[in-house]
């Protein structure tokens, strides 16, 4: 099939690459010329394991081509909208990219004789596809949905860091549709995936995505609050999470305590669902608490450091401090809403000399904090520092504590992800979120 993807970011590019690897001809459209050029040169503009290698194959075979020109979507059977849907200032969804994309698509459809199916993959609040995208497409094309073109909503569930394998082995595929032709085409496209395909109305598909992300975020805030209680009680949150997760009704996943959730999805999606619920007369009380816990959680890292050095900021002010992990989770370069951001802001207020390091996220973090000192590797980040904050659980940070001790001037280690083994320490002051009693 000839498939179109509007937006060559984490979702659009990975999906296009995935379908191209299955033999489809994929056209990516992005307004960012630099991204387009990079993709055509087989250099992924984002870090995702395996993506560069895959791009090399599918750009050479011309199964994937990128451009800035919507007219290159001509004759696509299915076109996926994959542009960003960031948060507005009040937490509501900002639909400006979606609207601009729908307008340009409408103009493109005007010139088409086939029956293109437009499927929204971006995360959008319920009724956006029906009440915002569809009218813009009709107005700008002069054509009728269901008669001249199809409309669908296919939420995306891939996770950054394992996006390509998630593409190949999805847990489920949700298809929101209005018309039979779109339903048939989407079912055919997804027929070889070995998972359930759930067909639902458009707005249900939209809400499934928000409800899923908000539920996972709730699990994280829940276990983070239990972790903070463990700190006070001298207990280990991983033991508690294990005991909970063995109950199949609860499940093991997303019970990993830490410095709070970040990334381009959970914070903005929870906020958008809160705003949308309120607008519809349903008070989002649970989600307010989820965001409340998450807002405070990065501060736990600093609190543990200050408690360990006598309670006040005096022992950290002006000191050299290592921050290991800038991306919001390992195996990605995405730093959006990373817990490292509020931590760095607090450390800067204390005039700390920060030595920051991340295996993949430095370029993106630099856009937020251009003047930090970025280390070329973990060793230089630790050199002569008085405190080290492990924010992201990259594998390479998992070393014996004696390694940290040998590089640092004063080995105060705050391990927000509990990746180090306290047994390997000699002189370090080691504190970990949810591991009460570590010293
Ligand atoms: N990143 C994830 O893990 C993930 C997972 C599931 C769903 N989503 C959702 O998918 C959507 C996209 O997320 P993302 O992380 O890929 O975003 P992204 O910011 O990485 O990529 C979006 C791309 O769209 C391009 N763009 C913006 N306006 C455009 C336009 N009018 N025409 C063409 N291109 C345009 C941008 O230049 C950018 O490259 C969001 O709604 C997000 O919530 C993201």
């Amino acid at each position: 099939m000839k498939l179109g993807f509007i937006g060559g970011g984490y979702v659009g590019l990975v999906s296009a690459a995935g379908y191209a690897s299955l033999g489809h001809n994929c056209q990516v459209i992005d307004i960012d010329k630099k991204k387009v050029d990079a993709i055509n040169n087989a250099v992924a503009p984002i870090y995702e394991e395996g993506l560069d290698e895959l791009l090399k194959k599918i750009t050479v075979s011309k199964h994937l081509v990128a451009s800035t020109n919507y007219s290159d979507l001509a004759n696509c059977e299915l076109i996926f909208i994959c542009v960003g849907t960031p948060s507005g200032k009040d937490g509501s969804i900002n639909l400006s990219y979606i609207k601009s994309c729908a307008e340009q698509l409408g103009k493109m459809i005007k010139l088409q004789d086939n029956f293109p199916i437009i499927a929204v993959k971006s995360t959008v609040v319920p009724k956006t596809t029906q009440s915002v995208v569809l009218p813009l497409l009709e107005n700008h094309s002069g054509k009728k949905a269901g008669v001249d073109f199809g409309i669908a909503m296919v939420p995306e569930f891939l996770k950054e860091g394992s996006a390509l394998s998630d593409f190949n082995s999805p847990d489920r595929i949700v298809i929101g549709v209005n018309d039979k032709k779109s339903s048939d085409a989407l079912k055919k496209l997804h027929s070889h995936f070995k998972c359930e395909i759930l067909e639902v109305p458009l707005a249900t598909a939209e809400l499934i995505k928000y409800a899923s992300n908000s539920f996972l975020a709730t699990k994280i805030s829940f276990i983070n609050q239990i972790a903070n209680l463990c700190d006070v009680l001298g207990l280990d949150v991983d033991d508690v999470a294990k005991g909970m997760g063995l109950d199949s009704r609860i499940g093991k996943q997303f019970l990993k305590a830490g410095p709070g959730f970040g990334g381009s999805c959970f914070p903005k999606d929870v906020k958008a669902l809160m705003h949308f619920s309120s607008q519809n007369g349903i008070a989002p009380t649970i989600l307010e608490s989820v965001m409340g816990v998450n807002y405070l959680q990065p501060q736990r890292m600093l609190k543990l450091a200050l408690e360990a050095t006598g309670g006040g900021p005096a022992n950290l002010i002006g000191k050299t401090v290592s921050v290991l992990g800038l991306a919001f989770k390992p195996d990605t370069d995405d730093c959006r809403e990373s817990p490292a951001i509020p931590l760095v802001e607090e450390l800067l207020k204390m005039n700390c000399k920060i030595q920051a390091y991340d295996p993949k996220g430095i370029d993106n973090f630099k856009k937020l904090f251009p003047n930090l000192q970025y280390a070329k590797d973990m060793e230089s980040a630790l050199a002569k520092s008085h405190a080290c904050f492990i924010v992201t659980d990259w594998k390479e940070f998992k070393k014996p504590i004696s390694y940290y001790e040998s590089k640092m001037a004063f080995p105060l280690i705050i391990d927000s992800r509990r990746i180090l083994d306290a047994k390997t320490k000699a002189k370090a002051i080691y504190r970990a979120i949810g591991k009460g009693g570590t010293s």
Side-chain angles (χ1 to χ4, degrees):
M1 284 171 110
K2 183 171 177 197
L3 307 174
F5 296 84
I6 307 180
Y10 290 87
V11 167
L13 181 57
V14 168
S15 306
Y19 286 112
S21 72
L22 299 174
H24 297 287
N25 292 315
C26 297
Q27 174 69 55
V28 173
I29 302 293
D30 202 292
I31 44 173
D32 183 338
K33 172 104 176 42
K34 270 195 197 152
K35 270 191 190 174
V36 164
D37 290 342
I39 295 169
N40 286 331
N41 288 322
V43 179
I46 53 167
Y47 173 72
E48 192 59 53
E49 200 184 341
L51 189 55
D52 270 329
E53 293 75 11
L54 182 55
L55 273 185
K56 279 186 191 99
K57 283 189 206 150
I58 57 186
T59 49
V60 167
S61 66
K62 297 278 176 220
H63 280 97
L64 188 143
V65 180
S67 104
T68 54
N69 198 344
Y70 275 67
S71 63
D72 290 332
L73 293 168
N75 303 321
C76 281
E77 292 164 67
L78 267 156
I79 299 169
F80 293 96
I81 297 180
C82 311
V83 297
T85 46
S87 289
K89 281 202 179 99
D90 57 359
S92 64
I93 186 169
N94 171 352
L95 288 174
S96 57
Y97 300 113
I98 291 277
K99 287 181 183 167
S100 133
C101 165
E103 285 172 19
Q104 293 175 79
L105 253 182
K107 291 177 193 157
M108 196 281 297
I109 295 174
K110 191 176 187 167
L111 311 171
Q112 296 299 302
D113 295 330
N114 64 345
F115 182 93
I117 294 158
I118 313 302
V120 176
K121 230 182 207 308
S122 301
T123 304
V124 292
V125 294
K127 303 198 176 159
T128 303
T129 305
Q130 182 76 41
S131 311
V132 178
V133 177
L134 188 151
L136 282 170
L137 291 173
E138 287 189 334
N139 292 343
H140 288 269
S141 66
K143 295 191 171 181
K144 193 97 196 94
V147 178
D148 305 305
F149 66 90
I151 186 97
M153 200 286 147
V154 189
E156 180 55 64
F157 298 103
L158 60 76
K159 301 180 289 299
E160 288 173 21
S162 56
L164 279 173
S165 63
D166 291 346
F167 173 86
N168 287 313
S169 315
D171 288 331
R172 80 300 212 184
I173 285 159
V174 174
I175 297 178
V177 268
N178 260 350
D179 61 89
K180 188 163 177 336
K181 269 192 188 172
S182 303
S183 161
D184 289 347
L186 281 160
K187 279 196 229 155
K188 186 177 152 209
L189 178 71
H190 293 109
S191 57
H192 80 285
F193 290 113
K194 292 185 185 66
C195 67
E196 185 159 339
I197 297 181
L198 185 66
E199 190 174 321
V200 290
L202 293 173
T204 306
E206 292 165 331
L207 188 53
I208 286 172
K209 175 65 190 173
Y210 278 101
S212 302
N213 272 5
S214 298
F215 187 74
L216 294 173
T218 303
K219 279 186 98 174
I220 296 175
S221 275
F222 183 88
I223 200 66
N224 280 341
Q225 201 160 69
I226 297 292
N228 299 344
L229 185 59
C230 285
D231 281 342
V232 177
L233 298 178
L235 303 177
D236 188 331
V237 69
D238 289 330
D239 294 341
V240 179
K242 188 171 181 193
M244 288 172 67
L246 288 170
D247 183 332
S248 58
R249 295 169 304 174
I250 296 173
K252 291 180 184 155
Q253 295 202 47
F254 286 78
L255 287 181
K256 217 165 156 245
F261 56 80
S264 65
C265 292
F266 283 9
K268 88 166 169 67
D269 291 350
V270 175
K271 281 188 253 171
L273 184 56
M274 284 167 67
H275 191 273
F276 183 79
S277 297
S278 299
Q279 269 187 332
N280 283 278
I282 302 298
T285 39
I286 293 176
L287 299 182
E288 275 164 8
S289 302
V290 168
M291 287 310 290
V293 171
N294 200 57
Y295 177 74
L296 293 176
Q297 197 62 14
Q299 307 296 336
R300 294 292 301 178
M301 295 185 274
L302 209 52
K303 188 169 185 294
L304 290 177
L306 296 181
E307 279 172 5
T309 54
N315 290 322
L316 273 188
I317 286 177
K319 292 275 165 36
T320 299
V321 168
S322 331
V323 175
L324 295 185
L326 306 172
F328 82 97
K329 66 173 181 178
D331 303 320
T332 180
D333 60 348
D334 197 343
C335 295
R336 290 178 279 188
E337 306 252 4
S338 166
I341 297 171
L343 174 69
V344 163
E345 281 167 350
E346 289 303 317
L347 293 172
L348 287 175
K349 280 186 207 156
M350 295 166 73
N351 283 328
C352 291
K353 187 172 161 278
I354 298 172
Q355 299 179 163
Y357 172 67
D358 188 281
K360 297 289 174 192
I362 289 179
D363 286 349
N364 282 333
F365 210 77
K366 262 187 196 164
K367 293 175 197 157
L368 305 168
F369 296 95
N371 298 323
L372 285 192
Q373 185 182 325
Y374 292 94
K376 66 176 190 325
D377 53 27
M378 176 180 171
E379 188 179 342
S380 353
L382 288 175
K384 299 197 171 65
S385 84
H386 288 79
C388 166
F389 292 86
I390 301 176
V391 189
T392 316
D393 42 345
W394 283 96
K395 269 199 201 110
E396 71 172 81
F397 301 158
K398 196 171 163 49
K399 292 195 187 298
I401 294 184
S402 52
Y403 172 86
Y404 284 76
E405 289 169 342
S406 69
K407 311 289 170 210
M408 296 172 69
F410 177 78
L412 166 61
I413 301 169
I414 307 300
D415 180 0
S416 78
R417 308 278 184 172
R418 298 172 308 288
I419 57 171
L420 304 187
D421 179 357
K423 289 186 214 97
T424 65
K425 84 182 175 67
K427 51 185 187 221
I429 301 177
Y430 174 74
R431 295 285 187 277
I433 287 181
K435 224 173 174 71
T438 47
S439 61

